[in-house]
Amino acid sequence: MNKFMKQLLILVATVSAIGFVTVNGTTAHAAKVTKVKRTAYHAKKGNIYTSTKLTKIYAKAKTYQNVTLYVTKHATLKQNGKKKVFYYINSKQVKGWLWRGYLRAGKIAPSVASMNPAMARRFLKQTNKYRTAKGMQPVSLDPARMALLKTYKKWFIKGDVDMEIFKRESGKVGLPTDEVFSTFSPITSKSDLKSSKAMSDDAVGVFMLVGESQPDYQDAAILKPKTTKIGVSWFKVKGKVYTMLLTNLYY
C-alpha cells in the first residue's frame, strides 16, 4: 500500500470517529438528530426543508396551516451562522424540517369548511326528530340549495345577503329566483366554534327553539309542514362564522 492510500484511510477513519471533516478551511459538522415522542403541532409560516442541510425547501408551512403536524425528531442546526433547533415533521401530508419557533403545540382546530358535512347531518337529524314528534314528514338536504350555499363568497357581502346576486346564483343551480327563503345568524360564542357538534346545536337553537328549551313549531320555517327541502351551511367571513339556512318555504 503506497503512502497516499495510507493517509487517505487514516483521514476516513478520523472522520468516522469524530463526525466532521475540514474542506477548504470550513468545518462541516454532521447533524446530531434526536428522536422524540410523536407530538402534535401546527404552524402558519416558515420554510419546511427536505433535510438537515437546510438547502432545499420542501414546502411553505402556510400551505399546511390547517393540518396537524406531527414531530418525531429534533436537531440543532446552523443557519446563517446561527445555531437553531429544528423539528422534523413526519405527517401524512408533509415531511421535513421546520424551525421550532414557527411551531405551536397542539392539534390544529378543524376548519369550518371541513366540519360542514358533519354539522349538516346532525342538524338534519335533529330537524327530523322534531318534525316526527309533530307528525310531519321529514325534510331532506337539497343538492341545489347546498350547491347555492357554496357560492356564498359572491352574495354574502359586508355581513349580509346581496339579494340581487343571490337570486342570480339561485337561477344558475336551477332554483326559482323568487322562492328561495333564507335566514342566517352569526355564531358569537367562541366555545361553540371549537366543534362541529357545538356549532350544529347552536343552529338548532337559533332556527328551531324558543328559550332553548321547546321547539317553536308555530314560527320556525324549517318546522312548517310545507317545508320539504333545506340547505344549511356554515362559513367564515372576515373572522366571523355564520350559519345560513335555506328552505323551499316561500312567504
Side-chain angles (χ1 to χ4, degrees):
M1 183 181 296
N2 59 40
K3 184 178 180 180
F4 173 77
M5 288 300 295
K6 287 182 179 180
Q7 290 177 336
L8 180 61
L9 288 174
I10 292 172
L11 176 61
V12 171
T14 303
V15 170
S16 299
I18 65 177
F20 64 87
V21 61
T22 300
V23 181
N24 295 329
T26 301
T27 301
H29 291 267
K32 183 179 180 182
V33 178
T34 304
K35 291 183 178 180
V36 296
K37 182 180 179 182
R38 191 168 184 263
T39 308
Y41 288 86
H42 57 278
K44 292 185 177 181
K45 62 180 181 179
N47 294 327
I48 300 174
Y49 295 93
T50 58
S51 72
T52 55
K53 294 179 181 179
L54 306 180
T55 55
K56 186 176 180 181
I57 298 173
Y58 176 87
K60 298 286 186 180
K62 65 180 181 181
T63 305
Y64 301 95
Q65 59 183 307
N66 294 320
V67 175
T68 297
L69 307 174
Y70 289 95
V71 169
T72 58
K73 302 174 187 177
H74 294 177
T76 300
L77 308 175
K78 210 168 195 181
Q79 186 181 49
N80 299 325
K82 295 181 179 180
K83 287 185 177 181
K84 296 181 180 180
V85 177
F86 280 74
Y87 287 2
Y88 181 71
I89 298 163
N90 188 3
S91 300
K92 183 179 180 180
Q93 298 90 337
V94 59
K95 299 179 189 297
W97 294 90
L98 179 64
W99 178 51
R100 69 176 177 183
Y102 291 134
L103 286 157
R104 297 291 178 268
K107 294 182 178 180
I108 189 70
S111 66
V112 174
S114 69
M115 291 190 284
N116 249 309
M119 292 189 289
R121 289 193 298 270
R122 183 178 176 83
F123 183 83
L124 181 68
K125 182 178 180 180
Q126 190 63 57
T127 298
N128 286 330
K129 177 181 178 181
Y130 287 158
R131 289 178 67 88
T132 300
K134 283 293 184 177
M136 300 179 192
Q137 292 297 313
V139 296
S140 61
L141 291 175
D142 178 29
R145 286 171 172 77
M146 295 299 283
L148 176 59
L149 287 168
K150 290 182 179 180
T151 67
Y152 71 89
K153 290 183 180 179
K154 296 181 179 180
W155 44 260
F156 197 80
I157 302 171
K158 295 181 180 180
D160 203 351
V161 178
D162 185 314
M163 290 308 299
E164 292 303 315
I165 301 177
F166 181 75
K167 290 177 181 179
R168 184 172 69 238
E169 294 300 318
S170 296
K172 289 181 180 179
V173 295
L175 292 171
T177 58
D178 60 346
E179 296 182 5
V180 180
F181 176 78
S182 67
T183 184
F184 69 93
S185 174
I187 299 177
T188 56
S189 171
K190 290 184 178 180
S191 61
D192 286 347
L193 297 172
K194 294 181 179 180
S195 72
S196 62
K197 178 181 181 299
M199 282 198 280
S200 179
D201 290 347
D202 175 86
V204 170
V206 168
F207 299 124
M208 299 185 211
L209 305 183
V210 173
E212 298 186 0
S213 59
Q214 295 297 324
D216 183 3
Y217 295 107
Q218 185 175 359
D219 298 323
I222 193 173
L223 297 173
K224 294 285 187 179
K226 290 184 179 180
T227 299
T228 58
K229 297 179 181 180
I230 68 168
V232 63
S233 183
W234 292 255
F235 49 85
K236 191 173 185 179
V237 176
K238 293 185 177 180
K240 293 184 178 180
V241 177
Y242 296 86
T243 308
M244 173 70 71
L245 173 67
L246 304 179
T247 74
N248 68 310
L249 184 63
Y250 178 65
Y251 287 103

